[in-house]
Amino acid sequence: MASTLATGTAPPQNPALRRTITSNTVDTDCSVPSTAMGSPIDSPRASASSTSLSSMSSIENEKPNGKLVDTYGNEFEVPDYTIKNIRDAIPKHCYERSAATGLYYVFRDIASLATTFYLFHTYLNPENVPYTPARVVLWGLYTVMQGLFGTGAWVLAHECGHQAFSTSKILNDTVGWILHSALLVPYFSWKISHGKHHKATGHMERDMVFVPKTREERASRLGKMVHELSELGEETPIVTFLCLIGQQLFGWPNYLLTNVTGHNYHERQSEGRGKGKQNGWFNGVNHFNPSSPLYEAKDAKLILLSDLGLAITITVLVILGNNFGWKNMLVWYFLPYLWVNHWLVAITFLQHTDPSLPHYKPESWNYVRGAAATIDREFGFIGRQLLHGIIETHVLHHYVSTIPFYNADEASEAIKKVMGRHYRSDTKDGSFGFIKAMYRSARWCQWVEPSEGARGEGKGVLFFRNSNGLGTKPMKMSPLRKEAMIVGADE
């Protein structure tokens, strides 16, 4: 990858990207990831001796979407299976949910948080560790550990929101409300908007999180014309890094308060509450207002219940801060809280942002295609044990979100045989590779646009492009296309 970043050319395929071949494509072991190119490996190709103009035309006509190319330069085909194929492939016992198992993991995560606090608070003091810099480093380690344990609890509340925690909706929502409220998350508000994300994953006008900028939006933001994006120079690495820092520090609260990265088509809200409202500060599009266009009138009580949970937590934090000191609360709670936010944003960003992933305009989107527009990654022991596999089994989660995390590995293996080359996984370098992918995706994935060779419905299949000279080059556009030109930067 280092050489790829240096040259700026489109490599034939990211070596970390796995595409699993199915029994319907070639006669081989389905469990072995393919190292084949992104082209349709199961399509017959005419030999040089038998190729004619008519046969070449026939082959071309077999691709009604034209030639779709992702950012790595791999040829892409839209998924051709059904949700029934996916569900039927999963063993029945994978759908089974256990309240006892779910509660065990809740108690385990709470015990980890409590034990860590007790040990550090009891033994990490000037008497035992007189050297101040050493205490600072160790308390820093405390915030990291608590951030990971807190993220694990966040994931369990996420399970509750999807009703994957147990068969009892009351138990699920009670546990989820308590855990998320303790982490300053409006449980029901998030649950509703997150459910809409699952129903419209990869949809450019309905998805609720990390909807990428179009070429027009990117140009507007930079104060450029659309055709000029392909002519821009490289963004300096320090700018990319600073943008990532801002995303990781403020991305989650900004999402809750302004719906940043969510769709901005609120005028279409069925009850008319989105008229004149757009994402941004003080525009009424947030996760706390019952009148927000993110919700319907029937959701009002649940939004208020979410706000009540936050009010209780904030009251407790104020009491603790006044009694034990706000400097202590900064270390005990607020810095770990920022780590939880960091992991949450990093995980979600990398689940839906990768040079291999498509996004869809409304005319080209369907549920199966959208759910496949996600990617699994690997974070080792931390990901599989502390974060409950949310990183490693996300593709499955978008197809069947009620499968509990402890059955997700087996179910994931089952659906790979159906998805075949449409399954995406980047597991190279494990945990370190996950961290590196944040910077890589930020550099490679700046906006989305159709492939240059797309036609028909394929023009609604969009892929990431960038002005950094990395991967597939953006389309060359004529400056005469005035309807696509945007002058002046957005606020």
Side-chain angles (χ1 to χ4, degrees):
M1 182 58 68
S3 60
T4 299
L5 295 177
T7 61
T9 58
Q13 180 172 341
N14 175 19
L17 184 66
R18 297 173 52 200
R19 289 181 172 84
T20 308
I21 307 175
T22 72
S23 57
N24 294 326
T25 57
V26 294
D27 185 15
T28 187
D29 182 0
C30 296
S31 65
V32 179
S34 168
T35 56
M37 301 290 288
S39 57
I41 56 177
D42 53 330
S43 301
R45 297 185 178 183
S47 65
S49 60
S50 63
T51 300
S52 64
L53 290 176
S54 60
S55 63
M56 290 175 65
S57 176
S58 175
I59 292 174
E60 193 67 22
N61 288 336
E62 291 177 1
K63 297 181 180 180
N65 294 324
K67 186 176 181 180
L68 309 180
V69 181
D70 70 17
T71 321
Y72 286 128
N74 298 320
E75 193 167 340
F76 176 86
E77 291 187 352
V78 296
D80 52 1
Y81 47 86
T82 68
I83 188 62
K84 185 178 187 302
N85 297 148
I86 292 287
R87 289 184 174 275
D88 289 349
I90 299 172
K92 299 300 181 185
H93 63 267
C94 290
Y95 292 94
E96 296 175 0
R97 300 162 289 174
S98 168
T101 302
L103 289 171
Y104 158 74
Y105 282 104
V106 170
F107 292 137
R108 191 197 75 171
D109 285 359
I110 292 176
S112 298
L113 288 162
T115 301
T116 302
F117 176 80
Y118 173 79
L119 292 175
F120 275 79
H121 182 260
T122 303
Y123 298 105
L124 187 53
N125 52 52
E127 294 180 359
N128 295 323
V129 184
Y131 189 50
T132 300
R135 291 202 309 277
V136 171
V137 171
L138 290 173
W139 275 113
L141 175 63
Y142 163 89
T143 68
V144 174
M145 293 175 60
Q146 295 293 70
L148 289 171
F149 294 140
T151 305
W154 198 104
V155 173
L156 293 179
H158 167 265
E159 291 270 300
C160 293
H162 283 291
Q163 305 304 308
F165 187 80
S166 76
T167 58
S168 169
K169 187 174 185 299
I170 293 177
L171 177 62
N172 294 340
D173 287 340
T174 300
V175 173
W177 180 75
I178 292 172
L179 291 177
H180 264 177
S181 296
L183 295 168
L184 293 178
V185 178
Y187 171 72
F188 291 104
S189 307
W190 163 85
K191 172 185 171 181
I192 295 168
S193 67
H194 187 68
K196 293 181 179 181
H197 158 62
H198 271 257
K199 292 177 182 178
T201 306
H203 193 298
M204 288 296 294
E205 297 181 8
R206 288 175 47 213
D207 201 353
M208 300 294 293
V209 64
F210 281 112
V211 179
K213 300 294 183 185
T214 62
R215 183 168 181 150
E216 290 78 11
E217 290 168 337
R218 175 74 176 178
S220 175
R221 186 173 185 178
L222 297 177
K224 301 292 183 179
M225 295 182 180
V226 172
H227 73 278
E228 293 178 317
L229 285 190
S230 59
E231 304 166 1
L232 290 180
E234 177 184 0
E235 180 180 84
T236 59
I238 187 62
V239 170
T240 304
F241 179 75
L242 291 175
C243 288
L244 271 177
I245 293 296
Q247 172 183 286
Q248 298 309 118
L249 279 176
F250 308 113
W252 175 239
N254 199 14
Y255 173 69
L256 294 177
L257 289 165
T258 70
N259 198 45
V260 66
T261 81
H263 79 76
N264 205 17
Y265 290 83
H266 306 297
E267 292 278 351
R268 303 173 185 175
Q269 206 273 348
S270 60
E271 298 173 341
R273 54 172 60 196
K275 291 182 179 179
K277 295 183 178 179
Q278 291 190 341
N279 296 343
W281 294 96
F282 312 115
N283 288 332
V285 184
N286 59 62
H287 283 71
F288 308 100
N289 185 353
S291 299
S292 170
L294 301 179
Y295 310 110
E296 284 72 48
K298 63 181 176 60
D299 301 322
K301 292 181 179 179
L302 295 176
I303 309 307
L304 291 174
L305 185 56
S306 301
D307 295 344
L308 175 63
L310 298 183
I312 293 172
T313 299
I314 292 172
T315 299
V316 171
L317 291 174
V318 169
I319 292 173
L320 292 174
N322 289 337
N323 281 274
F324 295 99
W326 288 100
K327 289 184 180 179
N328 285 333
M329 288 301 297
L330 175 68
V331 177
W332 293 348
Y333 181 90
F334 291 108
L335 291 180
Y337 166 79
L338 290 179
W339 278 112
V340 172
N341 290 355
H342 157 71
W343 289 119
L344 171 61
V345 173
I347 290 167
T348 310
F349 173 63
L350 290 181
Q351 286 168 341
H352 300 283
T353 310
D354 187 82
S356 68
L357 297 180
H359 284 74
Y360 296 91
K361 290 184 178 180
E363 62 270 19
S364 300
W365 181 91
N366 63 38
Y367 180 82
V368 169
R369 294 175 182 180
T374 56
I375 188 169
D376 288 341
R377 300 186 188 271
E378 179 63 50
F379 207 58
F381 173 83
I382 291 176
R384 294 186 176 276
Q385 298 300 321
L386 301 187
L387 307 185
H388 308 298
I390 195 172
I391 295 170
E392 292 79 8
T393 59
H394 191 69
V395 176
L396 165 80
H397 176 67
H398 265 275
Y399 278 117
V400 190
S401 58
T402 54
I403 290 179
F405 72 90
Y406 43 82
N407 293 333
D409 278 318
E410 182 180 358
S412 290
E413 290 302 316
I415 70 169
K416 289 177 187 178
K417 300 174 183 179
V418 175
M419 294 185 69
R421 62 186 177 275
H422 304 294
Y423 171 76
R424 297 291 184 267
S425 174
D426 186 352
T427 60
K428 184 181 179 182
D429 298 329
S431 302
F432 186 56
F434 178 88
I435 300 299
K436 289 194 299 183
M438 292 181 61
Y439 181 77
R440 181 175 69 244
S441 291
R443 295 288 288 173
W444 286 64
C445 306
Q446 293 185 332
W447 74 84
V448 292
E449 64 181 47
S451 297
E452 196 159 8
R455 67 170 182 264
E457 192 181 55
K459 293 181 179 180
V461 184
L462 313 180
F463 292 95
F464 286 107
R465 300 292 186 255
N466 61 80
S467 57
N468 293 324
L470 301 171
T472 304
K473 294 181 179 180
M475 281 193 296
K476 293 286 186 180
M477 300 181 70
S478 170
L480 297 178
R481 295 184 59 183
K482 295 182 180 180
E483 73 279 2
M485 294 183 183
I486 308 295
V487 181
D490 286 342
E491 294 296 323

